[in-house]
Amino acid sequence: MANKNAEKNIFVEREIFEKDGKSYFSYFIKGQVRGKDVKVAIIPPDKGGYTVLDIVFGTTMAAELVVKPFEIKDDATGKTISGNTYAVKSYDENGEEYECAIKPFRASDKALLNMLLK
């Protein structure tokens, strides 16, 4: 079966929320799995990554999801481990690319993201 996402882009979106009188952004991917609307929470790999995400998003509220497959061979067991790493990217008015690594927030978000990518 062909990857249905091969011909369409998936976007990471952000929205403002308030906590303790300050405004912050939350990051997510919206989609549908088996007719059910889902919202996958996304975070940077470390706390400092929020500054990088702000730079990547700039003044926009959405940026493109980048999926990078990987394979690692465990020399001790001979088994190959495969999966995906994720990033979000955008371009400025001069065509310069900005990118930041991201990851699903919870195990359930990882499961939903895998379902969306099928």
Side-chain angles (χ1 to χ4, degrees), residues 31-93:
Q32 271 199 348
V33 177
R34 296 182 120 185
K36 182 170 181 65
D37 290 334
V38 296
K39 191 173 180 180
V40 179
I42 298 295
I43 59 171
D46 56 52
K47 190 172 181 153
Y50 284 102
T51 300
V52 181
L53 279 175
D54 284 344
I55 292 168
V56 171
F57 276 79
T59 59
T60 66
M61 297 302 277
E64 185 178 347
L65 174 69
V66 178
V67 180
K68 300 175 183 176
F70 71 87
E71 282 190 358
I72 300 172
K73 185 170 183 174
D74 183 341
D75 292 331
T77 64
K79 292 184 179 179
T80 300
I81 300 166
S82 62
N84 293 316
T85 61
Y86 307 99
V88 61
K89 75 174 176 181
S90 67
Y91 300 90
D92 68 12
E93 60 279 353

